[in-house]
Amino acid sequence: MPDTATSEMTASETGKAADAKPLADQQFTTRHAVTIGTERIEYTANVGRIVLHDDEEHSTPKVAIFYTAYVRDDVPSKRDRPLVFLWNGGPGSSTIWLHMYSYGPRRVVFDGDPLFDTSRWELRENEHSLLDVADLVFVDAPSTGFSRVAPGEDPAQFHGAEADAAVIGDFVTEFVAREKRGDSPIVLFGESYGTIRAPLVADYLQQVPGLFVDGVILLSSLMDVAGTTFGVGVNYGAVGQLPSYAATALYHGVISGDLPTVIAEAEDFALNDYSVALLKGSRLTGAERERIARRLSELTGISAEFILRSNLRVNLWRYVKELLRDRHRTVGRLDTRWTGIDSDTAGETFEDDASYSAPTDPATRALNQYLRADLGWEADRPLLYRHIRPREQWKHRESEQMGIWTPQLEVATVLRAAMNRSPHLKVLLLSGYYDLGTPYFPAELTFDHLHLEPERARNVTKTRYESGHMIYLHEPSLAQTRADLVGFLSSLRGVDAA
């Protein structure tokens, strides 16, 4: 069924009519092949929805979760073959980015460098896919993508950190049961807010159905929102952003040096002189303030005068506008290698994040066409790649540490608890140097402050790439992440994943 408007009914009316229909399980199956390396791999693609019900005796449908699953055909036993569930974040984003740009059997490939032109692209076989070593399930959260809430149900019941984790956990449980994959290594792969979802889902699965996952992959992670927070008495954001500011200034030629040296100097300054100076606040002497501002200027490319006027804290919104102001350009938030143009150069922040806008159109066009033409999906309404307005609707969770409740959204301690319950659970952290949305340094510092015992700490692997938030948009980084992911997946349960 086409999802475009007709002469009798508008697209909005079509969507409302579709939402009024009772939910039903759906699955469309097609068979394909992809070449990865020198190997031609045949696989089955299943695209559809699984309806989840409430727990009452007379069970009623609550929500239908949309998924696209890719399963390699020539594997005699699934016992040692990882089953990876992938999702993007938002909250409120469908899994369009991971699906169309990263590790599935097809991906959008640009004719040139996407930093400069995303208008020319093609959907091609993906030589960087993980399908040779793992089966993949791309999942859309409720109210995103083609997932649908049952008629009469309030979508807001799923719009919160813990409720979201529960419904995704229920989907994982149901999918594993239906596909008879209970003996396979189970891996949760989240990007951005999806890295908040993944620990919560791992915890939920352990405590509700008793399913202990084998791996958690965190791409562009923010398990503690303090890592990007600026404000009175809040130092974590300023300290955590500094190395990414330095990498950005170096990339755009505002400062000089080589990346490893600049990064090392920025991290050292952030952890020592800068963090102490921020803690002192107004107790700093004038000479100390001048010294700190000069060094920050050398590392970030922002003038010492501007830094002093900002009380030594240049938040990311000012940074993306200020760094290239004299060139009449802004830099991206999700990927600072991208540049944008505003209507004027006098503002406090950019008018648009080019690193978010530029990849959106190709992914949306490609996914809509691909699901229908190649995978046989019969959509009942248009794709909602980003639907929930998180600030207005999303219910965050309070965190508890050592019996003390705080309003700060933080799930790292949830992951620590899951790791302590499950000695075989392994974690892989993938971060980009040019990401200001979920910067690499606070993501790593979060693990440093979990105080894991040595035998648990050995289960955590941290990696960095010369890319931004969507690490896979940088071709060399996509190739390197694939290699690192293959190694990680192959290490689960100490067996070869292929």
Side-chain angles (χ1 to χ4, degrees):
M1 184 192 313
D3 69 335
T4 55
T6 67
S7 58
E8 290 82 17
M9 184 178 292
T10 67
S12 175
E13 289 169 339
T14 302
K16 290 179 180 178
D19 283 347
K21 295 179 180 178
L23 297 184
D25 285 357
Q26 295 171 281
Q27 182 168 283
F28 301 86
T29 300
T30 52
R31 288 179 172 78
H32 312 265
V34 60
T35 299
I36 303 175
T38 60
E39 190 176 12
R40 190 66 174 169
I41 295 169
E42 295 183 350
Y43 64 94
T44 297
N46 291 315
V47 56
R49 293 183 182 133
I50 289 179
V51 177
L52 302 177
H53 299 74
D54 61 25
D55 294 326
E56 301 299 324
E57 183 177 351
H58 300 291
S59 186
T60 57
K62 301 287 285 186
V63 63
I65 301 297
F66 180 79
Y67 67 94
T68 307
Y70 302 102
V71 179
R72 183 170 176 169
D73 290 337
D74 62 351
V75 179
S77 171
K78 305 293 187 181
R79 181 176 180 81
D80 295 324
R81 183 168 173 82
L83 180 63
V84 184
F85 294 88
L86 304 93
W87 49 68
N88 280 109
S93 175
S94 69
T95 304
I96 187 172
W97 318 105
L98 282 169
H99 199 171
M100 286 292 92
Y101 287 128
S102 67
Y103 310 107
R106 298 287 187 274
R107 74 179 179 98
V108 172
V109 179
F110 297 100
D111 287 351
D113 189 337
L115 292 176
F116 304 102
D117 184 8
T118 57
S119 65
R120 295 168 304 176
W121 55 269
E122 184 181 355
L123 191 65
R124 301 177 188 168
E125 288 189 14
N126 185 7
E127 62 182 317
H128 304 297
S129 175
L130 293 171
L131 193 54
D132 56 335
V133 299
D135 296 328
L136 310 172
V137 186
F138 295 87
V139 184
D140 286 342
S143 302
T144 74
F146 290 111
S147 290
R148 295 290 175 265
V149 176
E153 294 290 337
D154 183 2
Q157 68 184 290
F158 304 110
H159 298 173
E162 285 154 326
D164 170 86
V167 72
I168 298 299
D170 289 343
F171 169 82
V172 170
T173 304
E174 185 68 18
F175 187 93
V176 169
R178 292 190 186 195
E179 299 300 319
K180 299 179 175 60
R181 297 297 295 269
D183 58 351
S184 297
I186 305 300
V187 181
L188 310 179
F189 188 141
E191 177 182 358
S192 194
Y193 182 86
T195 66
I196 289 178
R197 176 182 292 135
L200 291 173
V201 173
D203 178 70
Y204 177 85
L205 289 172
Q206 285 182 350
Q207 302 208 48
V208 179
L211 175 61
F212 283 52
V213 303
D214 299 82
V216 171
I217 299 170
L218 308 170
L219 189 149
S220 300
S221 179
L222 187 67
M223 290 193 296
D224 184 348
V225 297
T228 57
T229 301
F230 289 79
V232 176
V234 180
N235 302 328
Y236 200 2
V239 170
Q241 297 278 21
L242 179 57
S244 292
Y245 286 175
T248 301
L250 178 64
Y251 178 86
H252 289 288
V254 183
I255 65 174
S256 59
D258 63 90
L259 185 62
T261 300
V262 167
I263 286 296
E265 291 179 356
E267 290 181 5
D268 180 72
F269 184 73
L271 289 176
N272 295 291
D273 299 50
Y274 188 38
S275 60
V276 173
L278 292 177
L279 184 63
K280 286 184 176 181
S282 297
R283 298 187 182 194
L284 281 174
T285 66
E288 287 176 318
R289 284 173 55 83
E290 294 281 349
R291 179 179 65 82
I292 295 297
R294 284 195 303 271
R295 184 56 178 147
L296 285 172
S297 179
E298 293 170 354
L299 289 169
T300 66
I302 302 296
S303 72
E305 180 185 7
F306 187 90
I307 292 169
L308 285 168
R309 292 202 310 261
S310 302
N311 293 321
L312 305 181
R313 304 165 187 264
V314 179
N315 68 40
L316 70 94
W317 304 112
R318 288 178 172 176
Y319 186 82
V320 296
K321 183 73 172 183
E322 182 67 19
L323 180 66
L324 303 181
R325 192 186 293 269
D326 60 346
R327 304 182 195 176
H328 292 205
R329 294 293 184 272
T330 62
V331 299
R333 169 179 171 262
L334 295 182
D335 192 327
T336 58
R337 298 172 302 149
W338 251 280
T339 59
I341 300 175
D342 284 350
S343 57
D344 64 57
T345 61
E348 274 276 288
T349 186
F350 55 30
E351 297 172 4
D352 176 66
D353 182 0
S355 62
Y356 176 77
S357 299
T360 297
D361 179 65
T364 304
R365 291 173 182 260
L367 183 61
N368 273 295
Q369 175 71 9
Y370 171 60
L371 290 175
R372 293 164 173 77
D374 294 356
L375 302 188
W377 168 246
E378 296 180 3
D380 51 9
R381 63 169 295 170
L383 170 73
L384 299 174
Y385 83 91
R386 187 170 177 83
H387 185 56
I388 305 166
R389 301 303 302 168
R391 290 187 178 180
E392 290 86 0
Q393 297 184 13
W394 200 257
K395 300 179 183 68
H396 294 300
R397 66 182 293 278
E398 295 179 330
S399 61
E400 181 182 11
Q401 298 188 37
M402 300 177 67
I404 300 173
W405 286 94
T406 70
Q408 173 181 311
L409 177 58
E410 175 275 311
V411 299
T413 50
V414 175
L415 180 61
R416 178 180 63 191
M419 294 180 69
N420 285 338
R421 294 189 204 105
S422 179
H424 71 280
L425 173 56
K426 294 186 177 182
V427 179
L428 176 63
L429 174 67
L430 307 101
S431 304
Y433 285 118
Y434 305 112
D435 178 8
L436 293 183
T438 57
Y440 84 90
F441 197 42
E444 294 183 357
L445 289 175
T446 295
F447 280 97
D448 294 339
H449 288 82
L450 286 183
H451 305 294
L452 294 168
E453 291 296 319
E455 62 270 28
R456 296 296 187 270
R458 284 193 291 269
N459 286 344
V460 177
T461 302
K462 306 169 189 172
T463 57
R464 303 175 181 178
Y465 308 90
E466 293 185 37
S467 190
H469 190 75
M470 300 181 202
I471 296 171
Y472 37 77
L473 288 180
H474 181 237
E475 187 86 17
S477 295
L478 175 60
Q480 185 57 55
T481 56
R482 175 192 141 76
D484 293 337
L485 285 162
V486 169
F488 177 79
L489 293 169
S490 299
S491 74
L492 301 178
R493 300 187 184 177
V495 298
D496 187 353

